[in-house]
Amino acid sequence: MNTKKIVLPESEIPRQWYNIMADMPTPMEPPLHPGTGQPAGPDDLSPIFPMALIEQEVSQDQVIDIPDEVLEKYLIWRPTPMYRAYELEKHLDTPARIYFKNEGVSPAGSHKPNTAIAQAYYNKMAGTKKITTETGAGQWGSALSMCCSFFGIECKVFMVKISYNQKPYRRLMMETWGGNCIPSPSNQTNAGRKILEQNPESPGSLGIAISEAVEAAAMDDDTKYSLGSVLNHVLLHQTVIGLECQKQMAIAGDYPDVVIGCAGGGSNFSGCALPFVRDKINGKEIDIIAVEPASCPTLTRGPFAYDFGDAVQMTPLLPMHTLGHSFVPEPIHAGGLRYHGMAPIVSQLLLDDLIRAESISQMETFQAGITFARTEGFISAPETNHAVAMAIREAIKAKEEGKEKTILINWSGHGLVDMAAYEAYLSGKLADHALPEDEIHRALDDIAPLPKPKQYKPGTIL
Amino acid sequence: MNTKKIVLPESEIPRQWYNIMADMPTPMEPPLHPGTGQPAGPDDLSPIFPMALIEQEVSQDQVIDIPDEVLEKYLIWRPTPMYRAYELEKHLDTPARIYFKNEGVSPAGSHKPNTAIAQAYYNKMAGTKKITTETGAGQWGSALSMCCSFFGIECKVFMVKISYNQKPYRRLMMETWGGNCIPSPSNQTNAGRKILEQNPESPGSLGIAISEAVEAAAMDDDTKYSLGSVLNHVLLHQTVIGLECQKQMAIAGDYPDVVIGCAGGGSNFSGCALPFVRDKINGKEIDIIAVEPASCPTLTRGPFAYDFGDAVQMTPLLPMHTLGHSFVPEPIHAGGLRYHGMAPIVSQLLLDDLIRAESISQMETFQAGITFARTEGFISAPETNHAVAMAIREAIKAKEEGKEKTILINWSGHGLVDMAAYEAYLSGKLADHALPEDEIHRALDDIAPLPKPKQYKPGTIL
């Protein structure tokens, strides 16, 4: 019998996160204060983040020790198994070897707890009593609720109201873990009240929810704010994924030619990819692909610019690929990929040609998810299906070219709480709509007046 | 760091199932033909089951080889990890060591694929083109749909109509795996049409769905029927769970004093327990506990008698603990435990004092589930919470007695597709109702005219 799962013993779990900022050929541009337009320093961030996380946000150390208390919690689901997708290979009749790293084995069903547990820990150490955050579809809010419960921290999640009403299961997961989930806009914050005054029926948005969570944290000394993607320290924590994959590839006696992850804010993609980007910087030939939805093509159609992280312009300006903070993506089912911006680290790596980006339309991703489920068994989250679809493209290409090739997918989570999305697909209710050029241009106009990052490279902007 | 997960390498996966019928001190009574009342032989079963499964149903061989093709599929989720529940122990401040075997890592989220894959395989070998089955909450129907898709067999699932309407997620899982899920009663069978004539608004029942699935299989040469619990061959396939646990306990340098599983039809309980029952027969002291809902107390309040497996009296008569085939349990959220009967093997082991049974009311099980989720992370299925609640009782008892004790839970599945049940609990909508004596007595009257099994032991009937 062939080995199906490449399993890393607990004793081999990585003891350090990998910080790519130490190795990037182009140094990162700093975030800017939204009021002054000047580089934002640690003091600007300290009202909402504990200092340990701010230090990680700006650290240039190549590796950062994972505290024992975090490692202990990681063991609940880590090391995660890396699978060889024999049945998918057979079905595609491809010479490619396809592996997938199963981050769906965490209790929350996704990669999100990798950083949630670290953030909860550092907050606990800093004396934080309560953490606020926002969530769209609920993957992040549920992961953070779980991790806060482990450390006895109160967790308040502002959940986009339309998702709160339409997706009760993830809200219920938060509550089962003791989290307090509130539909946003709420009347608990000035930001929320202001929106409700203008429109009592507002369905909410991630931008509004971020504003509410940040405000709730800033107003109270014992309360901090937590973000589930985009920022450097979040990507740092996720690198356990790729570090494990490297050890598992060694066990399998293989090494990836292609590394694939879906990208919304950039954290699961980076978690798997960054350790391989280091290898690429050191001379390895690897094709590293971030896959985004055609309806929210941040990396493939957005310029690299300074932009706000939220819709209401409260956060620092980040140097990133962006579709403009006023861009409202179609309500596709991959809610975790509906973000106008992209992690600055991912954006910079794209500029430096260390990774590439592809966009895929919704129908193709669900078709890929069905193929995957009927061959490998596991039902992927709609976000994850973007990575699966890209892997299938690459496997078919390998067949056409008659080339052996090793493909690694970061399988970021299962879709058992997202079955309504599959219903829409299976019942023929989904269709792809082209994203009009002018819709992007309109949103891009909003970022034109903002400062331009120095690292601007002509040719990378559409 | 302490080892959290005791992981068995793939090379150590059990190669044989354990057949307890070879070791039982009291031989099993045969099933009876529903028409003649005479022992039902292989020929009576061959219209609906392939011969290989019928042979396993009556086999007296102590071990039965697991075919390579089944082993290969098992590797998708097996060996499953066995966890040490340090955080739960700490929370309960108990001297007990608590382990749980995580069967929730299968793509379907439960132990059900352990037998589904074997049944799909033997049917494939026998040339079966289509398999029919029934499902209540949908765990079994989804597991069988997945396994049929692996072997290219068509799968038709008759799902109790009220669950079909109330629990769309598991139906959608079936459809994602290519299964055809039909609300029962349907107009595709005589049984269904008859019910619909009497009551077009019938919400359906497991009994009706079984009748429809059996009829659909019996009518067509290429179609067979499949059952997800109760029968000997189903319990046989599930023994991989306990066989792995024994190897994992050896790795941990430990051995259970208490083995706990929830029991509806008896398959997950048996899967974990039977290999330990063998040890008990051979002289080991082990307390082996089947836990059932207080509202469906088959083992704790039902007599051992011949009874039908279904409500409409189509199946063979089985010698088992039963509440009567007309007993309709309360609509508790642990749908998988709402069965009037119990596996004949489990029933006989209880008679022979090799296992014991306890019943727990719904509120206590959800309270246990919340405690488990907030300490160990994983959200259990409502069925599984019965086992968790019993383990908590035993751990508290160990504390009160000041005794070290090793407790093993068969954690049969996660509850991410059952969050509506948690909602009912968290919102205070659940309450426990005592099960009136006369309700049981009424249903028991229906089995009085049936033949009595020889192994009747006075004192075991309430």
Side-chain angles (χ1 to χ4, degrees), chain B residues 88-127:
Chain B
L88 179 61
E89 293 170 16
K90 215 180 291 172
H91 175 80
L92 298 173
D93 188 25
T94 176
R97 290 181 295 280
I98 305 174
Y99 297 86
F100 63 98
K101 176 71 166 167
N102 187 349
E103 290 293 305
V105 296
S106 82
S110 79
H111 66 292
K112 290 289 187 192
N114 295 333
T115 182
I117 198 68
Q119 293 193 45
Y121 167 76
Y122 288 115
N123 269 290
K124 182 72 182 178
M125 289 303 100

Side-chain angles (χ1 to χ4, degrees), chain A residues 125-460:
Chain A
M125 291 301 102
T128 304
K129 298 274 182 286
K130 184 156 122 182
I131 296 179
T132 63
T133 196
E134 72 289 329
T135 201
Q139 270 192 328
W140 169 243
S142 54
L144 189 65
S145 293
M146 176 179 81
C147 296
C148 282
S149 86
F150 291 162
F151 288 110
I153 300 173
E154 220 181 301
C155 183
K156 181 180 274 191
V157 182
F158 292 89
M159 185 169 185
V160 176
K161 193 186 274 173
I162 190 169
S163 297
Y164 181 94
N165 291 328
Q166 286 176 350
K167 303 186 173 185
Y169 274 36
R170 283 224 171 79
R171 164 176 65 79
L172 289 164
M173 290 166 69
M174 296 179 219
E175 293 175 356
T176 296
W177 282 313
N180 181 7
C181 181
I182 290 166
S184 165
S186 76
N187 55 20
Q188 301 198 355
T189 64
N190 289 329
R193 281 187 291 267
K194 195 170 149 195
I195 300 282
L196 287 174
E197 257 170 45
Q198 292 163 357
N199 177 12
E201 303 304 314
S202 164
S205 74
L206 214 45
I208 298 168
I210 293 178
S211 307
E212 290 210 273
V214 169
E215 183 187 323
M219 286 187 315
D220 179 356
D221 272 358
D222 289 342
T223 303
K224 297 287 178 194
Y225 167 73
S226 175
L227 192 68
S229 190
V230 179
L231 298 180
N232 303 342
H233 68 273
V234 179
L235 275 51
L236 171 82
H237 302 150
Q238 293 291 355
T239 58
V240 282
I241 302 173
L243 294 168
E244 286 181 8
C245 283
Q246 290 183 324
K247 292 187 176 200
Q248 287 164 312
M249 278 289 172
I251 292 173
D254 211 336
Y255 189 87
D257 301 296
V258 187
V259 174
I260 299 171
C262 64
S267 81
N268 102 71
F269 165 74
S270 299
C272 183
L274 296 186
F276 290 101
V277 173
R278 168 168 55 178
D279 287 358
K280 189 165 181 172
I281 291 170
N282 291 331
K284 278 267 190 194
E285 263 191 44
I286 323 174
D287 189 16
I288 302 174
I289 312 173
V291 191
E292 55 187 17
S295 56
C296 192
T298 319
L299 289 169
T300 49
R301 294 173 73 183
F304 181 72
Y306 268 118
D307 196 8
F308 294 99
D310 64 335
V312 291
Q313 311 183 22
M314 280 181 62
T315 72
L317 292 164
L318 298 173
M320 60 185 179
H321 281 274
T322 176
L323 294 164
H325 54 269
S326 64
F327 179 75
V328 179
E330 238 185 280
I332 55 165
H333 288 281
L337 306 183
R338 294 179 68 239
Y339 185 62
H340 70 274
M342 181 56 66
I345 285 178
V346 174
S347 298
Q348 187 63 54
L349 293 175
L350 182 68
L351 277 185
D352 290 346
D353 288 332
L354 285 165
I355 64 170
R356 68 182 172 103
E358 294 283 350
S359 74
I360 299 190
S361 64
Q362 186 164 233
M363 292 292 278
E364 183 180 340
T365 65
F366 276 99
Q367 195 177 8
I370 296 283
T371 300
F372 192 83
R374 293 185 187 175
T375 52
E376 294 297 322
F378 293 99
I379 297 178
S380 329
E383 293 83 359
T384 311
N385 279 339
H386 288 72
V388 173
M390 190 69 218
I392 290 177
R393 281 191 189 179
E394 287 292 317
I396 290 171
K397 198 171 86 182
K399 182 186 175 182
E400 287 165 358
E401 294 173 351
K403 266 192 201 164
E404 279 201 25
K405 190 188 279 187
T406 298
I407 299 169
L408 170 62
I409 307 169
N410 189 26
W411 198 81
S412 54
H414 68 64
L416 299 184
V417 194
D418 305 285
M419 294 311 300
Y422 280 86
E423 170 151 58
Y425 175 77
L426 290 165
S427 63
K429 284 182 203 144
L430 283 193
D432 287 327
H433 305 284
L435 176 63
E437 275 299 323
D438 60 347
E439 211 171 298
I440 293 190
H441 287 158
R442 211 167 25 238
L444 291 183
D445 285 345
D446 281 347
I447 56 175
L450 298 175
K452 287 205 168 33
K454 289 198 202 101
Q455 298 301 324
Y456 173 83
K457 282 192 187 175
T460 58

Side-chain angles (χ1 to χ4, degrees), chain B residues 348-364:
Chain B
Q348 187 64 54
L349 293 175
L350 182 66
L351 276 185
D352 290 347
D353 289 331
L354 285 164
I355 63 168
R356 67 182 173 104
E358 295 282 350
S359 74
I360 299 189
S361 65
Q362 187 165 231
M363 292 291 279
E364 183 180 340

Side-chain angles (χ1 to χ4, degrees), chain A residues 1-7 10 13 15 68 71-79 83 87 90 102 105-109 146 149-150 166-179 369-370 373-379 414 416-420 422-424 426, chain B residues 1-7 10 13 15 68 71-79 83 87 90 102 105-109 146 149-150 166-179 369-370 373-379 414 416-420 422-424 426:
Chain A
M1 272 186 320
N2 289 318
T3 302
K4 176 76 184 166
K5 302 180 291 299
I6 297 100
V7 175
E10 288 190 353
I13 192 169
R15 305 290 173 132
D68 282 349
L71 278 174
E72 198 178 84
K73 300 299 179 190
Y74 271 175
L75 293 186
I76 295 177
W77 66 97
R78 309 210 70 83
Y83 280 69
E87 298 305 318
K90 215 180 292 173
N102 186 350
V105 297
S106 83
M146 176 179 81
S149 86
F150 291 162
Q166 286 176 350
K167 303 186 173 185
Y169 274 36
R170 283 224 171 79
R171 164 176 65 79
L172 289 164
M173 290 166 69
M174 296 179 219
E175 293 175 356
T176 296
W177 282 313
I370 296 283
R374 293 185 187 175
T375 52
E376 294 297 322
F378 293 99
I379 297 178
H414 68 64
L416 299 184
V417 194
D418 305 285
M419 294 311 300
Y422 280 86
E423 170 151 58
L426 290 165
Chain B
M1 273 189 317
N2 289 317
T3 302
K4 177 74 184 167
K5 302 180 291 300
I6 297 101
V7 175
E10 288 191 352
I13 193 170
R15 305 290 172 131
D68 281 349
L71 279 174
E72 198 177 85
K73 300 298 179 192
Y74 272 174
L75 294 185
I76 295 176
W77 66 97
R78 309 209 69 85
Y83 280 69
E87 298 305 317
K90 215 180 291 172
N102 187 349
V105 296
S106 82
M146 175 180 83
S149 85
F150 290 162
Q166 285 176 352
K167 304 187 172 184
Y169 274 35
R170 283 224 171 80
R171 163 176 66 80
L172 290 164
M173 289 166 70
M174 297 179 219
E175 291 174 358
T176 296
W177 282 312
I370 296 284
R374 293 185 186 174
T375 51
E376 293 297 321
F378 293 99
I379 297 178
H414 67 64
L416 299 185
V417 194
D418 305 285
M419 293 311 299
Y422 280 85
E423 169 151 58
L426 290 165

Side-chain angles (χ1 to χ4, degrees), chain B residues 52-72:
Chain B
L53 291 176
I54 296 172
E55 282 166 10
Q56 292 182 354
E57 186 65 19
V58 298
S59 169
Q60 295 295 316
D61 297 340
Q62 198 189 38
V63 294
I64 293 176
D65 287 341
I66 304 176
D68 281 349
E69 293 83 349
V70 172
L71 279 174
E72 198 177 85

Side-chain angles (χ1 to χ4, degrees), chain B residues 267-315:
Chain B
S267 81
N268 101 72
F269 165 74
S270 299
C272 183
L274 296 186
F276 291 101
V277 173
R278 169 168 55 179
D279 287 357
K280 190 165 181 173
I281 292 169
N282 292 331
K284 278 265 191 196
E285 263 190 43
I286 324 175
D287 189 15
I288 302 175
I289 313 174
V291 191
E292 56 187 17
S295 57
C296 192
T298 319
L299 290 168
T300 49
R301 292 173 73 183
F304 181 71
Y306 267 118
D307 196 6
F308 294 100
D310 64 334
V312 291
Q313 313 183 21
M314 279 180 65
T315 72

